[in-house]
Amino acid sequence: MSTSFPFLQAWMDKTRQDQPLRDYVGEAVGSGAPDSVASIFCRAFEEIIEALEKAQPQRLDSVRGVFRKARTLDDVLIVRAELVAGAKLARGGVLFDFGRRNGATEPDLVLREMDLGIEVKARRLDGLRDLHDELEAALAGIRPPVLVHLTPDSQPLIIKADVRARVVEETVQRVHSGNLGTAVFEVEQPWSARERLLLRVGILPAVDLRSGSRVVVTNLFWGNEPGPHLMDTEDEVRAVLENKQKTRQAESMPTILLVDAARTGMAWIRSPRVWAQRLAMLLPDTTPFVGVAVMIPTLDDPDVGISLGVRANLSDKDRRAVNELVGCLGLTAV
């Protein structure tokens, strides 16, 4: 039995050998197992690309080229954000084109009949995941293996690279010297809603781990809504709203800023309705953006829900266009 993804495989033609999806496509096509992780990921990409190929927006070939040149999974996920947004427009019957690239002051998606643009921004910020991955890599060759518990007193959106390096170095030294137990790192984070992070790093013997050391994150702190972590996430959205390049694009035509926050800490924990309410509060009357939206796409789903906050002082024309888009796509909007 074989599994075929004709639209995805056509896009994979002429890709680099290190294009990250090659392994997934090879596994999915080779195994023919429809419920495998590789097949599920590829099926989602297949449906996204099929919707775009049938809609045939202008400059689709430019976006296809970006997809083909991707070298890392991060590269793939950045372009996927734009693809999934375009596919949602296509499925909603909204005529659109991809914007001009290479320095042009035009949004990523231009809606032909609504006088609206959508500027897509993918944010990848997860300091705790970065530290987890770097610790696992540093401990991979150490024998006997150990079990490391990372226990923060709050959820950090960012842990600076030099701080992560210090935690990794000291933890590896403790493992080598047999200094088990817990060490506490105090990290100043003046940019965060919670200005100081206490990070406990516990080391336990784990001779039964056959595949090497493991690092686990425990005792995650959610906090009350909005909570420090989600306030930090909102600050990242606000930073994009104030980005000079993004504002120039918003000044070229009425534009909604769409932030892919799937990999921005734990943005996914907030409900779509609350996201829409908080986004509306973030928008100053002076911003050139008509609205700001957040989406949390997943690799196993070709579609995505979108929460939209709209600027209070919109013109009647812009509000009609936004309302029409909300109706076509079924957005959660305030």
Side-chain angles (χ1 to χ4, degrees), residues 37-89:
V37 171
S39 292
I40 292 170
F41 286 180
C42 290
R43 191 177 306 117
F45 266 104
E46 174 75 4
E47 293 183 29
I48 291 169
I49 295 171
E50 180 179 6
L52 294 172
E53 289 288 358
K54 290 181 176 178
Q56 281 297 300
Q58 292 184 34
R59 289 173 286 280
L60 178 59
D61 57 341
S62 176
V63 182
R64 189 189 299 114
V66 175
F67 173 88
R68 285 174 169 166
K69 292 176 182 176
R71 295 186 179 186
T72 66
L73 184 58
D74 193 51
D75 293 339
V76 172
L77 294 179
I78 289 172
V79 71
R80 190 184 191 277
E82 196 171 334
L83 297 176
V84 76
K88 190 171 187 72
L89 291 172

Coordinates of all heavy atoms in Angstrom, one line a residue, residues 37-89:
V37 N 2.7 9.8 12.2 CA 2.9 11.2 12.3 C 3.3 11.9 11.0 O 2.8 12.9 10.6 CB 4.0 11.5 13.4 CG1 4.4 13.0 13.4 CG2 3.5 11.1 14.8
A38 N 4.1 11.2 10.3 CA 4.6 11.7 9.0 C 3.4 11.9 8.0 O 3.3 12.9 7.3 CB 5.7 10.8 8.4
S39 N 2.5 10.9 8.0 CA 1.4 11.0 7.1 C 0.4 12.1 7.5 O -0.1 12.8 6.6 CB 0.6 9.6 7.0 OG 1.4 8.6 6.4
I40 N 0.2 12.2 8.7 CA -0.7 13.3 9.2 C -0.1 14.7 8.9 O -0.9 15.6 8.4 CB -0.9 13.1 10.7 CG1 -1.7 11.9 11.0 CG2 -1.7 14.4 11.3 CD1 -1.8 11.5 12.5
F41 N 1.2 14.9 9.1 CA 1.8 16.2 8.8 C 1.7 16.4 7.3 O 1.3 17.5 6.8 CB 3.2 16.2 9.2 CG 3.5 16.3 10.7 CD1 4.7 16.3 11.2 CD2 2.4 16.4 11.6 CE1 5.0 16.4 12.6 CE2 2.6 16.5 12.9 CZ 3.9 16.5 13.4
C42 N 2.0 15.4 6.5 CA 2.0 15.6 5.0 C 0.6 15.8 4.5 O 0.4 16.6 3.5 CB 2.6 14.4 4.4 SG 4.4 14.2 4.6
R43 N -0.4 15.1 5.1 CA -1.8 15.3 4.6 C -2.2 16.8 4.9 O -2.9 17.4 4.0 CB -2.7 14.3 5.3 CG -4.1 14.3 4.7 CD -5.0 13.2 5.4 NE -4.3 11.9 5.4 CZ -3.9 11.3 6.5 NH1 -4.1 11.8 7.7 NH2 -3.3 10.1 6.4
A44 N -1.8 17.3 6.0 CA -2.2 18.7 6.3 C -1.6 19.7 5.2 O -2.2 20.6 4.7 CB -1.8 19.1 7.7
F45 N -0.3 19.5 5.0 CA 0.4 20.3 3.9 C -0.3 20.1 2.6 O -0.4 21.0 1.8 CB 1.9 19.9 3.8 CG 2.8 20.8 4.7 CD1 3.3 20.3 5.9 CD2 3.1 22.0 4.3 CE1 4.2 21.1 6.6 CE2 4.0 22.9 5.0 CZ 4.5 22.4 6.2
E46 N -0.6 18.8 2.3 CA -1.3 18.5 1.0 C -2.6 19.4 0.8 O -2.8 19.9 -0.2 CB -1.6 17.0 0.9 CG -2.4 16.6 -0.3 CD -1.6 16.6 -1.6 OE1 -0.4 16.8 -1.5 OE2 -2.2 16.3 -2.6
E47 N -3.4 19.4 1.9 CA -4.6 20.1 1.8 C -4.4 21.6 1.7 O -5.2 22.4 1.0 CB -5.5 19.8 3.0 CG -6.0 18.3 3.0 CD -6.9 18.0 4.1 OE1 -7.7 18.9 4.5 OE2 -7.0 16.8 4.5
I48 N -3.4 22.1 2.4 CA -3.1 23.6 2.3 C -2.7 23.9 0.9 O -3.2 24.9 0.3 CB -2.0 23.9 3.3 CG1 -2.5 23.8 4.7 CG2 -1.4 25.3 3.0 CD1 -1.4 23.9 5.8
I49 N -1.7 23.2 0.3 CA -1.2 23.5 -1.0 C -2.3 23.3 -2.1 O -2.4 24.0 -3.0 CB 0.0 22.6 -1.3 CG1 1.2 23.0 -0.3 CG2 0.5 22.7 -2.7 CD1 2.4 22.0 -0.3
E50 N -3.1 22.2 -1.9 CA -4.2 22.0 -2.9 C -5.1 23.2 -2.9 O -5.5 23.7 -4.0 CB -5.0 20.8 -2.5 CG -6.1 20.4 -3.5 CD -6.9 19.2 -3.1 OE1 -6.6 18.6 -2.0 OE2 -7.8 18.8 -3.9
A51 N -5.5 23.8 -1.8 CA -6.4 24.9 -1.8 C -5.7 26.1 -2.5 O -6.4 26.8 -3.2 CB -6.7 25.3 -0.3
L52 N -4.4 26.3 -2.3 CA -3.7 27.4 -2.9 C -3.6 27.2 -4.4 O -3.8 28.1 -5.2 CB -2.3 27.6 -2.3 CG -2.3 28.0 -0.8 CD1 -0.9 28.0 -0.3 CD2 -2.9 29.4 -0.7
E53 N -3.3 26.0 -4.8 CA -3.1 25.7 -6.3 C -4.4 25.8 -7.0 O -4.5 26.3 -8.2 CB -2.5 24.3 -6.5 CG -1.1 24.1 -6.1 CD -0.1 24.8 -7.0 OE1 -0.6 25.4 -8.0 OE2 1.1 24.8 -6.8
K54 N -5.5 25.5 -6.4 CA -6.8 25.7 -7.0 C -7.2 27.1 -7.1 O -7.9 27.6 -8.0 CB -7.9 24.8 -6.3 CG -7.7 23.3 -6.5 CD -8.8 22.5 -5.8 CE -8.6 21.0 -6.0 NZ -9.6 20.2 -5.3
A55 N -6.8 27.9 -6.1 CA -7.2 29.3 -6.1 C -6.3 30.1 -7.0 O -6.7 31.2 -7.6 CB -7.0 29.9 -4.7
Q56 N -5.1 29.7 -7.2 CA -4.1 30.3 -8.1 C -4.0 31.8 -7.9 O -4.1 32.7 -8.8 CB -4.5 30.1 -9.6 CG -4.0 28.7 -10.1 CD -2.5 28.5 -10.1 OE1 -1.8 29.3 -10.7 NE2 -2.1 27.5 -9.3
P57 N -3.6 32.3 -6.7 CA -3.3 33.7 -6.4 C -2.1 34.1 -7.2 O -1.2 33.3 -7.4 CB -3.1 33.8 -4.9 CG -2.7 32.4 -4.5 CD -3.4 31.4 -5.5
Q58 N -2.0 35.4 -7.5 CA -0.8 35.9 -8.1 C 0.4 35.7 -7.2 O 0.3 35.8 -6.0 CB -0.9 37.4 -8.5 CG -1.9 37.6 -9.6 CD -2.0 39.1 -10.0 OE1 -1.0 39.8 -9.9 NE2 -3.2 39.6 -10.4
R59 N 1.6 35.5 -7.7 CA 2.8 35.3 -7.0 C 2.9 34.1 -6.1 O 3.7 34.0 -5.2 CB 3.2 36.6 -6.2 CG 3.6 37.8 -7.2 CD 3.7 39.1 -6.4 NE 2.5 39.6 -6.0 CZ 1.7 40.3 -6.8 NH1 2.0 40.6 -8.1 NH2 0.5 40.8 -6.4
L60 N 2.0 33.1 -6.4 CA 2.1 31.8 -5.7 C 3.5 31.2 -6.0 O 4.0 30.5 -5.1 CB 1.0 30.9 -6.2 CG 1.0 29.5 -5.6 CD1 0.9 29.5 -4.0 CD2 -0.2 28.7 -6.2
D61 N 4.0 31.4 -7.2 CA 5.3 30.8 -7.5 C 6.4 31.4 -6.6 O 7.4 30.7 -6.2 CB 5.7 31.0 -8.9 CG 5.7 32.5 -9.4 OD1 5.1 33.3 -8.7 OD2 6.3 32.8 -10.4
S62 N 6.3 32.6 -6.2 CA 7.3 33.2 -5.3 C 7.3 32.5 -3.9 O 8.3 32.2 -3.3 CB 7.0 34.7 -5.1 OG 7.9 35.3 -4.2
V63 N 6.1 32.3 -3.4 CA 6.0 31.6 -2.1 C 6.4 30.2 -2.2 O 7.1 29.6 -1.3 CB 4.5 31.7 -1.6 CG1 4.4 31.1 -0.2 CG2 4.1 33.2 -1.5
R64 N 6.1 29.5 -3.3 CA 6.6 28.2 -3.5 C 8.1 28.1 -3.5 O 8.7 27.2 -3.0 CB 6.1 27.7 -4.9 CG 6.3 26.2 -5.1 CD 6.0 25.8 -6.5 NE 4.6 26.0 -6.8 CZ 4.1 26.9 -7.7 NH1 5.0 27.6 -8.4 NH2 2.8 27.0 -7.9
G65 N 8.7 29.2 -4.1 CA 10.2 29.2 -4.1 C 10.8 29.3 -2.7 O 11.8 28.7 -2.4
V66 N 10.1 30.1 -1.8 CA 10.6 30.2 -0.4 C 10.5 28.9 0.3 O 11.3 28.5 1.0 CB 9.7 31.3 0.3 CG1 10.1 31.3 1.8 CG2 9.9 32.7 -0.3
F67 N 9.4 28.2 0.0 CA 9.1 26.8 0.6 C 10.3 25.9 0.2 O 10.8 25.1 1.0 CB 7.8 26.3 0.1 CG 7.5 24.9 0.5 CD1 6.9 24.6 1.7 CD2 7.8 23.9 -0.4 CE1 6.7 23.3 2.0 CE2 7.5 22.6 -0.1 CZ 7.0 22.2 1.2
R68 N 10.6 25.9 -1.1 CA 11.6 25.0 -1.6 C 13.0 25.3 -1.1 O 13.8 24.4 -1.0 CB 11.6 25.1 -3.2 CG 10.4 24.4 -3.8 CD 10.4 24.5 -5.3 NE 9.4 23.6 -5.9 CZ 8.9 23.8 -7.1 NH1 9.3 24.8 -7.9 NH2 8.0 22.9 -7.6
K69 N 13.3 26.5 -0.8 CA 14.6 26.9 -0.3 C 14.8 26.7 1.2 O 15.9 26.9 1.7 CB 14.9 28.4 -0.6 CG 15.0 28.6 -2.1 CD 15.2 30.1 -2.4 CE 15.3 30.4 -3.9 NZ 15.4 31.9 -4.2
A70 N 13.7 26.3 1.9 CA 13.8 26.1 3.4 C 14.9 25.2 3.8 O 15.0 24.1 3.2 CB 12.5 25.7 3.9
R71 N 15.7 25.5 4.7 CA 16.8 24.7 5.2 C 16.6 24.1 6.6 O 17.1 23.1 6.9 CB 18.1 25.5 5.2 CG 18.6 25.9 3.9 CD 20.0 26.6 4.0 NE 20.5 27.0 2.7 CZ 21.7 27.5 2.6 NH1 22.6 27.6 3.6 NH2 22.1 27.9 1.4
T72 N 15.7 24.7 7.4 CA 15.5 24.3 8.7 C 14.0 24.2 8.9 O 13.2 24.7 8.1 CB 16.0 25.3 9.8 OG1 15.3 26.5 9.7 CG2 17.5 25.5 9.5
L73 N 13.6 23.4 9.9 CA 12.2 23.3 10.3 C 11.6 24.7 10.6 O 10.4 25.0 10.2 CB 11.9 22.4 11.4 CG 10.5 22.1 11.8 CD1 9.7 21.5 10.6 CD2 10.4 21.2 13.0
D74 N 12.4 25.6 11.2 CA 11.9 26.9 11.5 C 11.6 27.7 10.2 O 10.6 28.4 10.1 CB 13.0 27.7 12.3 CG 12.4 29.0 12.9 OD1 11.4 28.9 13.5 OD2 13.1 30.0 12.7
D75 N 12.4 27.5 9.1 CA 12.2 28.1 7.8 C 10.8 27.6 7.3 O 10.0 28.4 6.7 CB 13.3 27.7 6.8 CG 14.6 28.4 7.1 OD1 14.6 29.4 7.9 OD2 15.6 27.8 6.7
V76 N 10.6 26.3 7.4 CA 9.3 25.7 6.9 C 8.1 26.3 7.6 O 7.1 26.6 7.0 CB 9.4 24.2 7.1 CG1 8.0 23.6 6.7 CG2 10.4 23.6 6.1
L77 N 8.2 26.4 9.0 CA 7.1 26.9 9.8 C 6.8 28.3 9.5 O 5.6 28.8 9.6 CB 7.4 26.6 11.2 CG 7.4 25.1 11.6 CD1 7.7 24.9 13.1 CD2 6.1 24.4 11.2
I78 N 7.8 29.1 9.2 CA 7.6 30.5 8.9 C 6.8 30.7 7.6 O 5.8 31.4 7.6 CB 8.9 31.3 8.8 CG1 9.6 31.4 10.2 CG2 8.7 32.7 8.2 CD1 11.0 32.0 10.2
V79 N 7.2 30.0 6.6 CA 6.4 30.1 5.3 C 5.1 29.4 5.5 O 4.1 29.8 4.9 CB 7.2 29.5 4.1 CG1 7.4 28.0 4.2 CG2 6.6 29.9 2.8
R80 N 5.0 28.3 6.3 CA 3.7 27.6 6.5 C 2.7 28.6 7.1 O 1.5 28.5 6.8 CB 3.9 26.4 7.4 CG 2.6 25.5 7.5 CD 2.8 24.4 8.5 NE 1.8 23.4 8.4 CZ 0.6 23.4 9.0 NH1 0.3 24.5 9.7 NH2 -0.2 22.4 8.8
A81 N 3.1 29.5 7.9 CA 2.1 30.5 8.5 C 1.4 31.3 7.4 O 0.2 31.5 7.4 CB 2.9 31.4 9.4
E82 N 2.2 31.7 6.4 CA 1.6 32.4 5.3 C 0.7 31.5 4.4 O -0.3 31.9 3.9 CB 2.8 33.0 4.5 CG 2.3 34.1 3.5 CD 3.5 34.8 2.9 OE1 4.6 34.8 3.5 OE2 3.4 35.3 1.7
L83 N 1.2 30.3 4.2 CA 0.4 29.3 3.4 C -0.9 29.0 4.1 O -1.9 28.9 3.4 CB 1.2 28.1 3.2 CG 2.6 28.2 2.5 CD1 3.3 26.8 2.4 CD2 2.3 28.7 1.0
V84 N -0.9 28.7 5.4 CA -2.1 28.3 6.1 C -3.1 29.5 6.1 O -4.4 29.3 5.9 CB -1.9 27.8 7.5 CG1 -1.6 28.9 8.5 CG2 -3.0 27.0 8.0
A85 N -2.6 30.7 6.2 CA -3.5 31.9 6.1 C -4.1 32.1 4.7 O -5.3 32.3 4.5 CB -2.8 33.2 6.5
G86 N -3.3 31.9 3.7 CA -3.8 31.9 2.3 C -4.8 30.8 2.0 O -5.8 31.1 1.3
A87 N -4.5 29.6 2.5 CA -5.5 28.5 2.3 C -6.8 28.8 2.9 O -7.8 28.4 2.4 CB -4.8 27.2 2.8
K88 N -6.8 29.4 4.1 CA -8.0 29.8 4.8 C -8.8 30.8 4.0 O -10.1 30.6 3.9 CB -7.7 30.3 6.2 CG -9.0 30.4 7.1 CD -8.6 30.8 8.5 CE -9.9 30.8 9.4 NZ -10.4 29.4 9.6
L89 N -8.1 31.7 3.4 CA -8.8 32.7 2.5 C -9.4 32.0 1.3 O -10.6 32.2 0.9 CB -7.9 33.8 2.0 CG -7.3 34.8 3.1 CD1 -6.2 35.6 2.5 CD2 -8.5 35.6 3.6

